[in-house]
Amino acid sequence: MTKRVLLIIGGGIAAYKSLFLIRVLARRGIKSTVILTNGGSEFVTALSAGGLSGEKVYTDLFDLTAEAEMGHIELSRSADLVVVAPATADLMAKAAHGIANDLATTTLSATDKRTLYVPAMNVRMWENPATQRNVTTLSDDGAFFLGPDEGEMACGEFGEGRMAEPEAIADAIETILEGDTTLDGLKGPKPLLGKKALVTAGPTREAIDPVRYLSNHSSGKQGYAIAAALTRLGADVTLISGPTALDPPACAKFVRVESARDMLAACETALPAEIFVAVAAVADWRPDGCANKKIKKGTSGIPALKLVENPDILATLSAAKSRPELVIGFAAETHDVVEFAKAKRDKKNCDWIVANDVSGDVMGGDHNAMIVVTADGEDIFPRLKKEDAARRLAEKIATHFA
Ligand code: CTP
């Protein structure tokens, strides 16, 4: 059955991220009913939220048409989960004290569903003892919290206060909706606590000149999902990503790189780690030198590209002095998938290799059928959504360390 969240968008600069959240949730098959607070509507419009959710956006308790269509009590019960993002200091203070003086707070006090708060505010406001007391009260009452993240804020200050990224919020929502969460929900079992994991993802770009490059169709989806799944199990994850169109997932550290050589350098900097998962589709070759000016047509005919081999990141880290304890490679193949994968496992000295048939819609698509080749044999996963395949691989990694 389609899941639905009731998304309350509070008044904060991070409200724009909640619009992305509606899209991310829709991509994952989760519908959103949106309540926009008066403060929220100073930052985003009901028109954009409604355009993205494809539904009416509710804006005020005294909206008589809304009351006729769906009363606020019904609205508060209409979803599987209530999500407050951005959760402002004001909204949390009211909710913690049972104040119900507009549609959002009335809905929060009338709901019989779980609530996830995703705070976003200035670092001083977040650290304010009153805010912290309200967070404790709401948590004690059974609410979930995600973030805030640390980083630079719109106000120019640095610290804890940034709203979590849409992909991370969607991960948290899915975790809660999976229904196996207790009141501690997001805390969940953390079998990989204390383990450092390094994940590479996406394609690399190899410059020909300042405007042209060689690359491939990798979207980064599988690597990002693996970084998120390992994080959920408690690992301290560094995700090193080539250029992708994705938001960074919830993980300890995110490093964006361009070329294979940049990716190798970032990996070496991130060592030591116990786990290395090489998901990136690293370009095997790069042009022998990058022209420092755009190559113009017709000056000396059609240019011939001379290629040189890129370093093999997986093989390099497998042979490193500080080799991670568990090294997992991916083998993108279009034929004789398992045979080639086995040969790659030996050649690159990795512990496991995940064989991937990329002749279909795997590259850039949302699904994957993995075969994990280990020293003990082959573990065949069915065709799964990339997030589910990632979860299964992360669980296998946790079992390995158990
Ligand atoms: N890999 C890497 N550095 C490279 C090339 C590949 O770290 N320069 C890693 C990939 O991240 C993946 C594994 O090696 O985990 C296998 O990648 P794949 O492209 O399937 O194999 P290649 O070594 O490139 O061999 P071929 O393209 O000939 O199949």
Side-chain angles (χ1 to χ4, degrees), residues 278 280 282 284 311-314 329-332 344 348:
V282 184
D284 291 318
D312 192 303
I313 300 166
L314 177 59
F330 269 65
K344 259 180 210 171
K348 303 202 183 193

Side-chain angles (χ1 to χ4, degrees), residues 303-367:
L305 271 186
K306 181 168 181 276
L307 301 177
V308 291
E309 198 161 333
N310 264 331
D312 192 303
I313 300 166
L314 177 59
T316 308
L317 265 64
S318 279
K321 249 213 223 118
S322 49
R323 181 192 195 275
E325 195 179 321
L326 181 65
V327 174
I328 306 174
F330 269 65
E333 310 292 350
T334 53
H335 56 286
D336 303 318
V337 178
V338 175
E339 263 157 69
F340 278 129
K342 281 184 176 161
K344 259 180 210 171
R345 180 174 165 269
D346 293 341
K347 195 171 115 202
K348 303 202 183 193
N349 184 31
C350 34
D351 302 292
W352 301 355
I353 196 133
V354 180
N356 253 178
D357 187 342
V358 291
S359 55
D361 62 352
V362 170
M363 269 200 157
D366 292 325
H367 293 81

Side-chain angles (χ1 to χ4, degrees), residues 14-36:
Y16 77 93
K17 286 193 194 173
S18 299
L19 297 182
F20 284 101
L21 175 63
I22 300 171
R23 271 181 55 188
V24 173
L25 289 174
R27 274 208 307 266
R28 299 189 189 192
I30 300 170
K31 290 192 178 296
S32 305
T33 305
V34 178
I35 292 180
L36 192 57

Side-chain angles (χ1 to χ4, degrees), residues 223-248:
Y224 280 46
I226 289 170
L230 289 170
T231 301
R232 263 201 297 274
L233 296 187
D236 172 3
V237 177
T238 299
L239 173 61
I240 299 173
S241 172
T244 71
L246 305 175
D247 283 339

